[in-house]
Amino acid sequence: MGNDTGIGRFTAFFGGKKKKADPNAADREAALESRRATKTERRVSGDIIELTVTGVERAHGIALITFETQDGAPLPGYEPGCHADFLLRTPDGEELVRQFSLFPTHYLGDKEGAYGIEVKREAGSKGGSAAIHRIEVGDTLRIRPPRNNFPLAKDAKRSVLVGAGVGIAPIFSLARELQIQHADYSVLYFASSEERALMRHLIDTYLHGQTKSIFASGERDKQAGYIEEALAASAVPAEDTHLYVCGPHGFMDGVIETALASLPQDNIHFETYRPTKETLAGNHDADGAFDVIFNGETYHIPEGESVLDVFEDEDVPILSQCAEGTCGTCVMRVVDGTPDHRDSIFTEERHEKGAFTTCVSRSLSPTLTLERWRQTP
């Protein structure tokens, strides 16, 4: 899984409150999945882009899929680090929306409108990774225009980029852009084996040696040392160095914890598409009902329903995508009241400026007053 540019942070490491175990976590997860399923049709409306699959490579539960726009033009809104919503169907015909990071292959001398994704087949998948793993050459993929929660920091003088498993996809796109800019950067690529590192040939071929590939799960024990070494490999001051990481939650936890010993909190960026159960549980004191005042109207938010649920039921115009606090689409601003933030995208700084994800966050006060979000510096 931001601040005003959408960059995410882990509250576990960045001063967030420690949350006790949620005895109802399974029920909450089931309820979230049910709401997502029943409202998917409403949320898949809007601009849809059709892509043609041009290549599929599979190994050890990993799929590397490349595709092109049907008119050969670049994807509207594409930026390094961005992702797109893929509109998929399960074998039972259920429509799903899943997010995958995009990397451009047109940087590699291919057609300008050519891109790729890398997806792991998850054993506990609800159908998204299974659906994408059935894709074959010649199939048509449907996506929404890309959006970016993981952009490069404009003021960085050095960048350390860390990817594990399929988390290397956005890292590769960031690194390739930095290389084009002749910027100072390095890449660490962690994978459990060479066979599972399907993007290694792209990393080794197109990033010209500014990378270190680390294979075998046992190397994870040395993870902190690799991160420390990469951060210490330059004379660029810490305040001008930025670290980016994408991969499994546990892996990112370790990288972030290590990086915090050297870098300012705001210089550490990560990408995630799935929140942790702890993040979604929030403060259990906020699980009950509360009221929201918006545009002079009062809306009652019952226990077990989100602000977004009620706004959609009451036909309050509001955009939404993920329904689990990882995209920031449904953000509003808190004007008054005490929120309980449960998103996995906004920084503490953005929370302090009022950013509130209506799909998952709740209220510690009896009433919250919200207004439309307007971008601020």
Side-chain angles (χ1 to χ4, degrees), residues 57-85:
E57 181 182 355
R58 297 186 182 90
H60 301 280
I62 307 294
L64 185 65
I65 300 171
T66 54
F67 39 82
E68 298 175 359
T69 57
Q70 296 192 337
D71 60 1
L75 283 172
Y78 176 85
E79 296 177 352
C82 75
H83 67 278
D85 293 329

Side-chain angles (χ1 to χ4, degrees), residues 94-117:
E94 178 188 357
E95 195 165 47
L96 302 172
V97 180
R98 292 294 184 266
Q99 295 80 37
F100 300 111
S101 294
L102 300 172
F103 62 88
T105 62
H106 62 260
Y107 279 168
L108 317 178
D110 205 336
K111 295 180 180 178
E112 191 172 19
Y115 303 85
I117 58 174

Side-chain angles (χ1 to χ4, degrees), residues 33-228:
E33 191 63 33
S34 176
R35 290 199 301 272
R36 184 188 300 119
T38 58
K39 297 189 178 185
T40 291
E41 185 173 352
R42 181 185 294 183
R43 291 170 180 162
V44 299
S45 61
D47 294 336
I48 302 298
I49 300 170
E50 292 191 341
L51 307 166
T52 300
V53 177
T54 57
V56 178
E57 181 182 355
R58 297 186 182 90
H60 301 280
I62 307 294
L64 185 65
I65 300 171
T66 54
F67 39 82
E68 298 175 359
T69 57
Q70 296 192 337
D71 60 1
L75 283 172
Y78 176 85
E79 296 177 352
C82 75
H83 67 278
D85 293 329
F86 282 69
L87 312 183
L88 308 170
R89 286 191 180 276
T90 68
D92 297 331
E94 178 188 357
E95 195 165 47
L96 302 172
V97 180
R98 292 294 184 266
Q99 295 80 37
F100 300 111
S101 294
L102 300 172
F103 62 88
T105 62
H106 62 260
Y107 279 168
L108 317 178
D110 205 336
K111 295 180 180 178
E112 191 172 19
Y115 303 85
I117 58 174
E118 190 179 32
V119 183
K120 179 181 178 181
R121 175 70 182 267
E122 298 290 350
S125 168
K126 302 297 183 181
S129 69
I132 205 74
H133 271 254
R134 294 198 308 274
I135 296 295
E136 298 292 350
V137 173
D139 287 350
T140 297
L141 284 174
R142 299 166 63 237
I143 70 169
R144 288 200 189 94
R147 59 187 190 277
N148 202 358
N149 293 341
F150 198 42
L152 288 165
K154 296 179 180 179
D155 58 347
K157 294 182 180 177
R158 173 170 168 74
S159 300
V160 176
L161 304 104
V162 186
V166 298
I168 195 63
I171 294 299
F172 175 75
S173 70
L174 295 177
R176 185 61 178 139
E177 177 65 20
L178 289 169
Q179 185 182 64
I180 290 172
Q181 296 176 9
H182 302 288
D184 182 358
Y185 77 95
S186 61
V187 175
L188 293 177
Y189 180 14
F190 289 82
S192 58
S193 69
E194 292 191 48
E195 293 76 18
R196 289 178 169 84
L198 296 193
M199 290 187 64
R200 188 186 183 188
H201 65 290
L202 299 176
I203 298 290
D204 292 345
T205 301
Y206 297 105
L207 297 183
H208 305 312
Q210 296 193 64
T211 68
K212 176 179 285 187
S213 296
I214 303 159
F215 301 117
S217 57
E219 292 291 330
R220 294 286 178 85
D221 298 335
K222 305 175 184 177
Q223 174 180 307
Y226 288 119
I227 304 305
E228 291 167 353

